Amino acid sequence: MRALIEEFVATALTPAQLRERAERTDAFLAAEFGHRVGEDEADALRDRMRQARNASRGAAA
């Protein structure tokens, strides 16, 4: 169990890394597609991702 926890900690992104990744993604979408994701759209996407994750967890049970 300890090895699994250590592996998770070693591979989990920090909040700062998550923010930096989100900023890079936003910049890429703007540069490549001319699209800026607004807060409302980001919230809707997060909700859809949560729903999909919860649905997949339910299907796996």
Side-chain angles (χ1 to χ4, degrees):
M1 184 63 145
R2 175 173 281 195
L4 288 173
I5 293 170
E6 288 173 353
E7 181 181 345
F8 173 75
V9 169
T11 59
L13 297 175
T14 67
Q17 289 170 318
L18 289 170
R19 277 190 303 279
E20 192 269 334
R21 184 176 281 188
E23 290 167 2
R24 280 194 335 240
T25 300
D26 288 343
F28 174 81
L29 291 172
E32 295 295 319
F33 302 105
H35 182 73
R36 294 224 176 258
V37 177
E39 280 303 311
D40 289 343
E41 186 177 9
D43 289 342
L45 290 168
R46 276 191 284 277
D47 287 342
R48 288 178 60 191
M49 289 182 350
R50 253 187 239 101
Q51 290 169 1
R53 182 180 62 230
N54 292 338
S56 71
R57 286 182 180 164

Short mmCIF file of all heavy atoms in Angstrom, two decimals:
data_model
loop_
_atom_site.label_atom_id
_atom_site.label_comp_id
_atom_site.label_asym_id
_atom_site.label_seq_id
_atom_site.Cartn_x
_atom_site.Cartn_y
_atom_site.Cartn_z
N MET A 1 0.83 -1.18 0.00
CA MET A 1 0.00 0.00 0.00
C MET A 1 0.88 1.25 0.00
O MET A 1 0.58 2.22 -0.69
CB MET A 1 -0.91 -0.04 1.23
CG MET A 1 -1.88 1.08 1.29
SD MET A 1 -3.00 1.00 -0.09
CE MET A 1 -4.46 1.58 0.63
N ARG A 2 1.93 1.22 0.77
CA ARG A 2 2.82 2.38 0.84
C ARG A 2 3.41 2.70 -0.53
O ARG A 2 3.49 3.85 -0.93
CB ARG A 2 3.93 2.13 1.85
CG ARG A 2 4.96 3.25 1.88
CD ARG A 2 5.92 3.06 2.97
NE ARG A 2 5.22 3.52 4.16
CZ ARG A 2 5.80 3.80 5.29
NH1 ARG A 2 7.09 3.63 5.42
NH2 ARG A 2 5.12 4.23 6.32
N ALA A 3 3.79 1.67 -1.27
CA ALA A 3 4.37 1.89 -2.60
C ALA A 3 3.36 2.55 -3.53
O ALA A 3 3.73 3.43 -4.32
CB ALA A 3 4.85 0.56 -3.19
N LEU A 4 2.10 2.16 -3.45
CA LEU A 4 1.06 2.77 -4.28
C LEU A 4 0.87 4.25 -3.93
O LEU A 4 0.75 5.09 -4.82
CB LEU A 4 -0.27 2.03 -4.12
CG LEU A 4 -0.34 0.66 -4.75
CD1 LEU A 4 -1.65 -0.03 -4.37
CD2 LEU A 4 -0.23 0.77 -6.26
N ILE A 5 0.87 4.55 -2.65
CA ILE A 5 0.73 5.94 -2.22
C ILE A 5 1.93 6.76 -2.67
O ILE A 5 1.78 7.87 -3.17
CB ILE A 5 0.53 6.02 -0.70
CG1 ILE A 5 -0.82 5.41 -0.33
CG2 ILE A 5 0.63 7.46 -0.20
CD1 ILE A 5 -1.04 5.21 1.15
N GLU A 6 3.12 6.22 -2.53
CA GLU A 6 4.33 6.93 -2.97
C GLU A 6 4.31 7.17 -4.47
O GLU A 6 4.71 8.23 -4.95
CB GLU A 6 5.57 6.15 -2.55
CG GLU A 6 5.83 6.21 -1.06
CD GLU A 6 6.97 5.31 -0.62
OE1 GLU A 6 7.50 4.52 -1.44
OE2 GLU A 6 7.33 5.39 0.57
N GLU A 7 3.84 6.19 -5.23
CA GLU A 7 3.74 6.35 -6.68
C GLU A 7 2.74 7.45 -7.04
O GLU A 7 3.00 8.28 -7.90
CB GLU A 7 3.32 5.03 -7.33
CG GLU A 7 3.22 5.12 -8.84
CD GLU A 7 2.78 3.80 -9.47
OE1 GLU A 7 2.83 2.75 -8.80
OE2 GLU A 7 2.37 3.84 -10.64
N PHE A 8 1.60 7.46 -6.36
CA PHE A 8 0.60 8.49 -6.61
C PHE A 8 1.16 9.88 -6.30
O PHE A 8 1.02 10.81 -7.09
CB PHE A 8 -0.65 8.24 -5.77
CG PHE A 8 -1.64 9.37 -5.87
CD1 PHE A 8 -2.41 9.54 -7.00
CD2 PHE A 8 -1.77 10.29 -4.84
CE1 PHE A 8 -3.30 10.60 -7.10
CE2 PHE A 8 -2.66 11.34 -4.93
CZ PHE A 8 -3.42 11.50 -6.07
N VAL A 9 1.81 10.02 -5.16
CA VAL A 9 2.37 11.31 -4.77
C VAL A 9 3.42 11.76 -5.77
O VAL A 9 3.49 12.94 -6.13
CB VAL A 9 2.96 11.22 -3.34
CG1 VAL A 9 3.78 12.45 -3.00
CG2 VAL A 9 1.84 11.04 -2.33
N ALA A 10 4.20 10.84 -6.28
CA ALA A 10 5.26 11.19 -7.22
C ALA A 10 4.71 11.64 -8.57
O ALA A 10 5.34 12.41 -9.28
CB ALA A 10 6.20 10.00 -7.41
N THR A 11 3.50 11.17 -8.92
CA THR A 11 2.96 11.49 -10.24
C THR A 11 1.83 12.53 -10.21
O THR A 11 1.44 13.03 -11.26
CB THR A 11 2.42 10.22 -10.93
OG1 THR A 11 1.41 9.64 -10.11
CG2 THR A 11 3.53 9.21 -11.16
N ALA A 12 1.31 12.85 -9.04
CA ALA A 12 0.21 13.82 -8.93
C ALA A 12 0.74 15.23 -9.18
O ALA A 12 1.83 15.58 -8.75
CB ALA A 12 -0.43 13.73 -7.55
N LEU A 13 -0.05 16.01 -9.88
CA LEU A 13 0.33 17.39 -10.15
C LEU A 13 -0.05 18.29 -8.97
O LEU A 13 -1.09 18.09 -8.35
CB LEU A 13 -0.38 17.90 -11.41
CG LEU A 13 -0.04 17.17 -12.71
CD1 LEU A 13 -0.90 17.69 -13.84
CD2 LEU A 13 1.43 17.31 -13.05
N THR A 14 0.79 19.27 -8.71
CA THR A 14 0.50 20.24 -7.66
C THR A 14 -0.52 21.25 -8.18
O THR A 14 -0.70 21.37 -9.40
CB THR A 14 1.77 20.98 -7.24
OG1 THR A 14 2.21 21.80 -8.34
CG2 THR A 14 2.88 20.03 -6.80
N PRO A 15 -1.17 21.98 -7.29
CA PRO A 15 -2.09 23.04 -7.76
C PRO A 15 -1.41 24.03 -8.70
O PRO A 15 -2.01 24.45 -9.70
CB PRO A 15 -2.56 23.71 -6.47
CG PRO A 15 -2.48 22.61 -5.45
CD PRO A 15 -1.24 21.83 -5.84
N ALA A 16 -0.18 24.39 -8.42
CA ALA A 16 0.55 25.32 -9.30
C ALA A 16 0.77 24.70 -10.68
O ALA A 16 0.64 25.38 -11.70
CB ALA A 16 1.88 25.72 -8.66
N GLN A 17 1.10 23.42 -10.72
CA GLN A 17 1.30 22.74 -12.00
C GLN A 17 -0.01 22.65 -12.77
O GLN A 17 -0.02 22.80 -13.99
CB GLN A 17 1.88 21.34 -11.78
CG GLN A 17 3.32 21.35 -11.31
CD GLN A 17 3.78 19.97 -10.87
OE1 GLN A 17 3.03 19.25 -10.20
NE2 GLN A 17 4.99 19.61 -11.24
N LEU A 18 -1.11 22.40 -12.08
CA LEU A 18 -2.41 22.34 -12.73
C LEU A 18 -2.78 23.70 -13.33
O LEU A 18 -3.27 23.77 -14.45
CB LEU A 18 -3.49 21.89 -11.75
CG LEU A 18 -3.43 20.42 -11.33
CD1 LEU A 18 -4.39 20.16 -10.18
CD2 LEU A 18 -3.73 19.52 -12.50
N ARG A 19 -2.55 24.78 -12.58
CA ARG A 19 -2.83 26.13 -13.09
C ARG A 19 -1.98 26.43 -14.32
O ARG A 19 -2.47 26.96 -15.32
CB ARG A 19 -2.56 27.18 -12.01
CG ARG A 19 -3.71 27.38 -11.06
CD ARG A 19 -3.50 28.59 -10.16
NE ARG A 19 -2.27 28.53 -9.39
CZ ARG A 19 -2.11 27.86 -8.26
NH1 ARG A 19 -3.12 27.18 -7.74
NH2 ARG A 19 -0.97 27.87 -7.63
N GLU A 20 -0.70 26.07 -14.25
CA GLU A 20 0.21 26.32 -15.37
C GLU A 20 -0.23 25.54 -16.60
O GLU A 20 -0.23 26.05 -17.71
CB GLU A 20 1.65 25.96 -14.96
CG GLU A 20 2.71 26.45 -15.92
CD GLU A 20 3.02 25.43 -17.01
OE1 GLU A 20 2.81 24.23 -16.77
OE2 GLU A 20 3.47 25.85 -18.08
N ARG A 21 -0.66 24.31 -16.41
CA ARG A 21 -1.13 23.49 -17.53
C ARG A 21 -2.40 24.09 -18.14
O ARG A 21 -2.54 24.14 -19.35
CB ARG A 21 -1.40 22.07 -17.04
CG ARG A 21 -1.80 21.13 -18.16
CD ARG A 21 -1.96 19.73 -17.68
NE ARG A 21 -0.64 19.12 -17.56
CZ ARG A 21 -0.45 17.84 -17.31
NH1 ARG A 21 -1.46 17.03 -17.14
NH2 ARG A 21 0.76 17.36 -17.22
N ALA A 22 -3.30 24.58 -17.29
CA ALA A 22 -4.52 25.21 -17.78
C ALA A 22 -4.19 26.48 -18.57
O ALA A 22 -4.80 26.73 -19.62
CB ALA A 22 -5.45 25.53 -16.61
N GLU A 23 -3.25 27.26 -18.08
CA GLU A 23 -2.85 28.48 -18.80
C GLU A 23 -2.25 28.15 -20.16
O GLU A 23 -2.54 28.82 -21.15
CB GLU A 23 -1.86 29.28 -17.95
CG GLU A 23 -2.51 29.92 -16.74
CD GLU A 23 -1.51 30.46 -15.73
OE1 GLU A 23 -0.27 30.39 -15.99
OE2 GLU A 23 -1.95 30.96 -14.68
N ARG A 24 -1.42 27.11 -20.22
CA ARG A 24 -0.84 26.70 -21.50
C ARG A 24 -1.92 26.22 -22.45
O ARG A 24 -1.88 26.50 -23.66
CB ARG A 24 0.19 25.57 -21.29
CG ARG A 24 1.52 26.05 -20.82
CD ARG A 24 2.61 24.98 -20.95
NE ARG A 24 2.12 23.61 -20.93
CZ ARG A 24 2.47 22.70 -20.05
NH1 ARG A 24 3.31 22.97 -19.09
NH2 ARG A 24 1.99 21.48 -20.12
N THR A 25 -2.90 25.49 -21.94
CA THR A 25 -4.00 25.01 -22.78
C THR A 25 -4.81 26.18 -23.31
O THR A 25 -5.15 26.22 -24.50
CB THR A 25 -4.90 24.05 -21.98
OG1 THR A 25 -4.11 22.95 -21.54
CG2 THR A 25 -6.06 23.55 -22.82
N ASP A 26 -5.11 27.14 -22.46
CA ASP A 26 -5.84 28.33 -22.90
C ASP A 26 -5.07 29.06 -23.99
O ASP A 26 -5.66 29.48 -24.99
CB ASP A 26 -6.09 29.28 -21.72
CG ASP A 26 -7.14 28.76 -20.76
OD1 ASP A 26 -7.90 27.84 -21.13
OD2 ASP A 26 -7.19 29.28 -19.63
N ALA A 27 -3.78 29.22 -23.80
CA ALA A 27 -2.95 29.92 -24.79
C ALA A 27 -2.94 29.15 -26.11
O ALA A 27 -3.02 29.75 -27.19
CB ALA A 27 -1.53 30.10 -24.27
N PHE A 28 -2.85 27.83 -26.06
CA PHE A 28 -2.85 27.01 -27.27
C PHE A 28 -4.17 27.16 -28.02
O PHE A 28 -4.17 27.36 -29.24
CB PHE A 28 -2.60 25.54 -26.91
CG PHE A 28 -2.75 24.62 -28.09
CD1 PHE A 28 -1.71 24.47 -28.98
CD2 PHE A 28 -3.92 23.92 -28.30
CE1 PHE A 28 -1.84 23.63 -30.09
CE2 PHE A 28 -4.07 23.07 -29.40
CZ PHE A 28 -3.02 22.93 -30.29
N LEU A 29 -5.29 27.06 -27.31
CA LEU A 29 -6.60 27.18 -27.96
C LEU A 29 -6.75 28.55 -28.61
O LEU A 29 -7.28 28.66 -29.73
CB LEU A 29 -7.72 26.94 -26.95
CG LEU A 29 -7.86 25.52 -26.44
CD1 LEU A 29 -8.88 25.46 -25.31
CD2 LEU A 29 -8.25 24.57 -27.56
N ALA A 30 -6.27 29.57 -27.93
CA ALA A 30 -6.37 30.93 -28.49
C ALA A 30 -5.50 31.07 -29.73
O ALA A 30 -5.93 31.62 -30.75
CB ALA A 30 -5.98 31.96 -27.43
N ALA A 31 -4.27 30.55 -29.67
CA ALA A 31 -3.33 30.70 -30.79
C ALA A 31 -3.73 29.84 -31.99
O ALA A 31 -3.67 30.30 -33.13
CB ALA A 31 -1.92 30.33 -30.33
N GLU A 32 -4.13 28.62 -31.74
CA GLU A 32 -4.40 27.69 -32.83
C GLU A 32 -5.81 27.80 -33.41
O GLU A 32 -6.02 27.56 -34.59
CB GLU A 32 -4.17 26.24 -32.37
CG GLU A 32 -2.72 25.94 -32.02
CD GLU A 32 -1.80 26.04 -33.23
OE1 GLU A 32 -2.17 25.58 -34.32
OE2 GLU A 32 -0.69 26.58 -33.06
N PHE A 33 -6.77 28.14 -32.56
CA PHE A 33 -8.17 28.12 -33.00
C PHE A 33 -8.88 29.46 -32.82
O PHE A 33 -10.05 29.59 -33.16
CB PHE A 33 -8.95 27.04 -32.24
CG PHE A 33 -8.36 25.67 -32.42
CD1 PHE A 33 -7.64 25.08 -31.40
CD2 PHE A 33 -8.49 24.98 -33.61
CE1 PHE A 33 -7.09 23.81 -31.55
CE2 PHE A 33 -7.94 23.72 -33.78
CZ PHE A 33 -7.24 23.14 -32.75
N GLY A 34 -8.19 30.43 -32.22
CA GLY A 34 -8.80 31.73 -32.00
C GLY A 34 -9.94 31.68 -31.00
O GLY A 34 -10.86 32.48 -31.06
N HIS A 35 -9.89 30.71 -30.08
CA HIS A 35 -10.99 30.52 -29.13
C HIS A 35 -10.47 30.72 -27.71
O HIS A 35 -9.49 30.12 -27.32
CB HIS A 35 -11.57 29.12 -29.27
CG HIS A 35 -12.72 28.88 -28.35
ND1 HIS A 35 -13.96 29.45 -28.56
CD2 HIS A 35 -12.82 28.15 -27.22
CE1 HIS A 35 -14.77 29.05 -27.59
NE2 HIS A 35 -14.10 28.27 -26.77
N ARG A 36 -11.14 31.56 -26.98
CA ARG A 36 -10.85 31.74 -25.55
C ARG A 36 -11.99 31.12 -24.76
O ARG A 36 -13.16 31.42 -25.00
CB ARG A 36 -10.71 33.20 -25.20
CG ARG A 36 -9.52 33.85 -25.85
CD ARG A 36 -8.80 34.72 -24.85
NE ARG A 36 -7.60 35.28 -25.46
CZ ARG A 36 -6.38 34.82 -25.23
NH1 ARG A 36 -6.19 33.82 -24.41
NH2 ARG A 36 -5.34 35.36 -25.81
N VAL A 37 -11.65 30.25 -23.82
CA VAL A 37 -12.65 29.58 -22.99
C VAL A 37 -12.98 30.50 -21.82
O VAL A 37 -12.12 30.84 -21.03
CB VAL A 37 -12.12 28.22 -22.47
CG1 VAL A 37 -13.12 27.56 -21.55
CG2 VAL A 37 -11.77 27.30 -23.62
N GLY A 38 -14.24 30.91 -21.75
CA GLY A 38 -14.70 31.76 -20.66
C GLY A 38 -15.02 30.93 -19.42
O GLY A 38 -15.07 29.70 -19.46
N GLU A 39 -15.23 31.62 -18.32
CA GLU A 39 -15.52 30.92 -17.06
C GLU A 39 -16.79 30.07 -17.14
O GLU A 39 -16.81 28.96 -16.64
CB GLU A 39 -15.63 31.92 -15.91
CG GLU A 39 -14.28 32.37 -15.37
CD GLU A 39 -13.42 31.22 -14.90
OE1 GLU A 39 -13.90 30.35 -14.14
OE2 GLU A 39 -12.26 31.17 -15.33
N ASP A 40 -17.83 30.60 -17.77
CA ASP A 40 -19.07 29.82 -17.89
C ASP A 40 -18.84 28.54 -18.68
O ASP A 40 -19.31 27.46 -18.30
CB ASP A 40 -20.18 30.64 -18.56
CG ASP A 40 -20.70 31.75 -17.67
OD1 ASP A 40 -20.46 31.69 -16.44
OD2 ASP A 40 -21.34 32.67 -18.19
N GLU A 41 -18.11 28.65 -19.77
CA GLU A 41 -17.82 27.49 -20.60
C GLU A 41 -16.92 26.51 -19.85
O GLU A 41 -17.13 25.29 -19.89
CB GLU A 41 -17.16 27.91 -21.91
CG GLU A 41 -16.96 26.79 -22.89
CD GLU A 41 -16.37 27.25 -24.21
OE1 GLU A 41 -15.95 28.42 -24.34
OE2 GLU A 41 -16.33 26.41 -25.12
N ALA A 42 -15.93 27.03 -19.13
CA ALA A 42 -15.04 26.18 -18.35
C ALA A 42 -15.82 25.44 -17.27
O ALA A 42 -15.60 24.25 -17.04
CB ALA A 42 -13.91 27.00 -17.74
N ASP A 43 -16.74 26.14 -16.60
CA ASP A 43 -17.57 25.49 -15.58
C ASP A 43 -18.42 24.39 -16.18
O ASP A 43 -18.54 23.30 -15.61
CB ASP A 43 -18.47 26.52 -14.89
CG ASP A 43 -17.70 27.48 -13.99
OD1 ASP A 43 -16.55 27.16 -13.62
OD2 ASP A 43 -18.27 28.54 -13.67
N ALA A 44 -19.00 24.65 -17.34
CA ALA A 44 -19.83 23.64 -18.01
C ALA A 44 -18.99 22.43 -18.41
O ALA A 44 -19.42 21.28 -18.25
CB ALA A 44 -20.51 24.24 -19.24
N LEU A 45 -17.78 22.67 -18.90
CA LEU A 45 -16.90 21.55 -19.27
C LEU A 45 -16.49 20.74 -18.05
O LEU A 45 -16.45 19.51 -18.10
CB LEU A 45 -15.65 22.08 -20.00
CG LEU A 45 -15.90 22.64 -21.40
CD1 LEU A 45 -14.66 23.39 -21.90
CD2 LEU A 45 -16.28 21.53 -22.35
N ARG A 46 -16.18 21.43 -16.94
CA ARG A 46 -15.83 20.71 -15.71
C ARG A 46 -17.00 19.84 -15.25
O ARG A 46 -16.81 18.69 -14.83
CB ARG A 46 -15.43 21.69 -14.61
CG ARG A 46 -13.99 22.12 -14.68
CD ARG A 46 -13.58 22.89 -13.44
NE ARG A 46 -14.08 24.25 -13.44
CZ ARG A 46 -13.50 25.26 -14.05
NH1 ARG A 46 -12.38 25.08 -14.72
NH2 ARG A 46 -14.02 26.47 -13.99
N ASP A 47 -18.22 20.39 -15.33
CA ASP A 47 -19.40 19.60 -14.95
C ASP A 47 -19.55 18.36 -15.83
O ASP A 47 -19.82 17.27 -15.32
CB ASP A 47 -20.68 20.45 -15.04
CG ASP A 47 -20.78 21.47 -13.93
OD1 ASP A 47 -20.09 21.33 -12.89
OD2 ASP A 47 -21.58 22.43 -14.09
N ARG A 48 -19.36 18.52 -17.13
CA ARG A 48 -19.48 17.37 -18.04
C ARG A 48 -18.41 16.33 -17.74
O ARG A 48 -18.67 15.12 -17.80
CB ARG A 48 -19.38 17.83 -19.49
CG ARG A 48 -20.64 18.59 -19.94
CD ARG A 48 -20.54 19.09 -21.34
NE ARG A 48 -20.34 18.00 -22.28
CZ ARG A 48 -20.02 18.18 -23.56
NH1 ARG A 48 -19.87 19.39 -24.04
NH2 ARG A 48 -19.85 17.15 -24.34
N MET A 49 -17.19 16.78 -17.43
CA MET A 49 -16.12 15.84 -17.11
C MET A 49 -16.43 15.10 -15.81
O MET A 49 -16.21 13.89 -15.72
CB MET A 49 -14.77 16.56 -17.02
CG MET A 49 -14.30 17.02 -18.38
SD MET A 49 -12.71 17.85 -18.53
CE MET A 49 -12.16 18.20 -16.93
N ARG A 50 -16.97 15.81 -14.81
CA ARG A 50 -17.36 15.16 -13.56
C ARG A 50 -18.44 14.12 -13.80
O ARG A 50 -18.39 13.01 -13.26
CB ARG A 50 -17.88 16.22 -12.58
CG ARG A 50 -16.93 16.51 -11.46
CD ARG A 50 -17.55 17.44 -10.43
NE ARG A 50 -16.73 18.62 -10.33
CZ ARG A 50 -16.98 19.80 -10.88
NH1 ARG A 50 -18.08 20.00 -11.54
NH2 ARG A 50 -16.16 20.81 -10.75
N GLN A 51 -19.43 14.48 -14.61
CA GLN A 51 -20.52 13.54 -14.91
C GLN A 51 -19.98 12.30 -15.62
O GLN A 51 -20.37 11.17 -15.30
CB GLN A 51 -21.57 14.22 -15.78
CG GLN A 51 -22.36 15.28 -15.06
CD GLN A 51 -23.21 16.12 -16.00
OE1 GLN A 51 -23.23 15.90 -17.22
NE2 GLN A 51 -23.92 17.09 -15.46
N ALA A 52 -19.08 12.50 -16.57
CA ALA A 52 -18.51 11.36 -17.30
C ALA A 52 -17.69 10.48 -16.36
O ALA A 52 -17.77 9.25 -16.42
CB ALA A 52 -17.65 11.86 -18.46
N ARG A 53 -16.91 11.11 -15.47
CA ARG A 53 -16.11 10.33 -14.52
C ARG A 53 -17.01 9.53 -13.60
O ARG A 53 -16.79 8.35 -13.36
CB ARG A 53 -15.21 11.27 -13.72
CG ARG A 53 -14.31 10.52 -12.74
CD ARG A 53 -13.42 11.45 -11.94
NE ARG A 53 -14.24 12.33 -11.13
CZ ARG A 53 -14.12 13.64 -11.07
NH1 ARG A 53 -13.21 14.24 -11.80
NH2 ARG A 53 -14.90 14.36 -10.30
N ASN A 54 -18.05 10.18 -13.08
CA ASN A 54 -18.98 9.49 -12.18
C ASN A 54 -19.71 8.36 -12.90
O ASN A 54 -19.92 7.29 -12.32
CB ASN A 54 -19.98 10.47 -11.57
CG ASN A 54 -19.31 11.43 -10.61
OD1 ASN A 54 -18.24 11.17 -10.08
ND2 ASN A 54 -19.93 12.58 -10.40
N ALA A 55 -20.08 8.58 -14.15
CA ALA A 55 -20.76 7.53 -14.93
C ALA A 55 -19.83 6.35 -15.16
O ALA A 55 -20.25 5.20 -15.06
CB ALA A 55 -21.25 8.10 -16.26
N SER A 56 -18.56 6.63 -15.44
CA SER A 56 -17.63 5.52 -15.68
C SER A 56 -17.34 4.76 -14.41
O SER A 56 -17.15 3.56 -14.43
CB SER A 56 -16.34 6.03 -16.33
OG SER A 56 -15.57 6.77 -15.40
N ARG A 57 -17.32 5.45 -13.30
CA ARG A 57 -17.12 4.77 -12.01
C ARG A 57 -18.32 3.88 -11.69
O ARG A 57 -18.16 2.79 -11.18
CB ARG A 57 -16.91 5.78 -10.90
CG ARG A 57 -15.56 6.41 -10.93
CD ARG A 57 -15.38 7.36 -9.78
NE ARG A 57 -14.07 7.97 -9.84
CZ ARG A 57 -13.73 9.04 -9.18
NH1 ARG A 57 -14.61 9.65 -8.40
NH2 ARG A 57 -12.50 9.53 -9.28
N GLY A 58 -19.52 4.37 -12.01
CA GLY A 58 -20.72 3.58 -11.78
C GLY A 58 -20.77 2.35 -12.66
O GLY A 58 -21.20 1.29 -12.25
N ALA A 59 -20.28 2.48 -13.89
CA ALA A 59 -20.27 1.35 -14.82
C ALA A 59 -19.25 0.31 -14.42
O ALA A 59 -19.41 -0.88 -14.66
CB ALA A 59 -19.98 1.84 -16.25
N ALA A 60 -18.17 0.75 -13.78
CA ALA A 60 -17.10 -0.16 -13.37
C ALA A 60 -17.47 -0.94 -12.13
O ALA A 60 -16.88 -1.98 -11.84
CB ALA A 60 -15.80 0.61 -13.15
N ALA A 61 -18.43 -0.45 -11.37
CA ALA A 61 -18.80 -1.11 -10.10
C ALA A 61 -19.60 -2.36 -10.31
O ALA A 61 -20.14 -2.69 -11.28
CB ALA A 61 -19.58 -0.14 -9.23
#
